[in-house]
Amino acid sequence: MISVYVHFPWCLQKCPYCDFASSGIRRQDVPQEAYAEAVLAELGRRRAALRDEGLASVFFGGGTPSLWEPAQLGRVLSAVRDSFADEAATLEVTVECNPTSFDRERAEALRAAGVNRLSLGIQSLHDQHLRFLGRLHNHAGALAALRDACAVMERVSGDLMFGMPGQSAAQAAAEAGRLADEGLDHLSAYSLTIEPETQFGALNRKGRLQLAPEEETASAFESIRHALAERGFEHYEVSNYARPGEHSVHNLHYWQGGAYLGLGAGAVGCLHTAPGRARRYRNDPRPERYLETSAADEVEVFEEALAGEDLVREQLMLGLRTRWGMDLDRARALSGVDPLAGREAAVEAAVGRGDAVVEEGALRVPGRHWLRLDSIVAELF
Ligand code: SF4
């Protein structure tokens, strides 16, 4: 099975912490139809590789795909579905939405186009934090969008950020709890990280960005985990929580090493080319270049071949982020090599310290150690 990711490369304004492939645009300047045509042209070129495959999930991310007219997004979705021999019995189709380009009417139009899951970029319910993050909405706009989404769509997820300066762990937990109480069935909670190629990165280099102390951020992580557990959410991936059965099919497919086709400016794809081999590529992130070249090979600005140990390491990085860990049989089938070969001593040491367990055919890191996940994975590399 293959998942499809479609990238929409524009936002109304670039947020100062964001290093995603996105740039600011005025609403009226979005090339609605031309972008759909460009994505369809790219799909046409890649279609031959999909004919015998099944479609696992579709995700429209960005950028701000809720700026795309639902009719244009719907054309792309139909063409994606038509390109596969088969699809999951209940195909999960998610669209990321920002409160400033979303309302009930848009939610209904997206549902009519075949979308069945929304992911809302809420980020915070505090106006002061939203301003710090450079967001265009306020807390009232966030709640209105959330209510519209829940009224129309069966499955709604929200993004929440924590670790802002001046935010206490109790505040972060209260926000997560409030969102759960408002009806979300899935929540992604990310700590604010400072990426070098962003406005925040530049301010930080000049020593002009106030940051939250690390202990405060760690304590917010634990408090959010606790608040959501109390409300019946399962912490199933380092940054993701879901009510029973509401995990993101798309993201799980990715974390479990599944193949995915990336379409759109700046999109990344990774397709299996033979047993134990894969090819990862990245499209040109510049929208104007993408619009010109999407139907041609030169739309790709990066590619790499992955084999054997590369694929095991990918699985260590991604699979260990989840509560199920790295499935050893699946990792062996994907990579063509024994995933534990050469790392027996490191695994034994991690298990001895309680940082990892090997059980039921999987290597996993217990959730209570996820704050230290990066260093645990590094030792197993
Ligand atoms: S809205 Fe999202 S994708 Fe767009 S700039 Fe802000 S964080 Fe980045």
Side-chain angles (χ1 to χ4, degrees), residues 10-11 13-15 17-18 20 22 62-64 98 123 135:
W10 295 284
C11 299
Q13 182 174 289
K14 185 78 181 168
C15 300
Y17 58 89
C18 173
F20 295 156
S22 67
T64 305
N98 268 328
Q123 314 307 350
R135 304 297 299 206

Side-chain angles (χ1 to χ4, degrees), residues 200-248:
F200 274 3
L203 285 174
N204 195 35
R205 277 193 294 282
K206 292 180 196 155
R208 286 173 41 203
L209 186 71
Q210 198 202 341
L211 294 172
E214 229 171 82
E215 321 75 73
E216 198 62 55
T217 304
S219 155
F221 176 86
E222 292 296 352
S223 301
I224 289 171
R225 183 177 155 88
H226 184 69
L228 292 173
E230 271 183 345
R231 289 165 172 85
F233 280 65
E234 182 181 54
H235 192 186
Y236 75 100
E237 192 267 352
V238 177
S239 304
N240 285 279
Y241 302 81
R243 291 193 196 276
E246 295 299 336
H247 312 113
S248 160

Side-chain angles (χ1 to χ4, degrees), residues 24 39 49 67 73 100 107-108 110 116 120 122 144 191 206 224 258 275 284 301 305-306 308 319 324 330 335 376:
V39 175
L67 283 172
L73 185 150
T100 38
E108 279 163 0
L110 287 170
N116 53 24
L120 281 178
I122 293 168
S191 71
K206 292 180 196 155
I224 289 171
D284 199 313
V301 290
L306 303 170
W324 302 277
R330 191 188 306 121
S335 66
I376 296 171

Side-chain angles (χ1 to χ4, degrees), residues 16-29:
Y17 58 89
C18 173
D19 73 342
F20 295 156
S22 67
S23 51
I25 194 168
R26 293 187 310 172
R27 216 179 282 264
Q28 63 270 30
D29 293 339

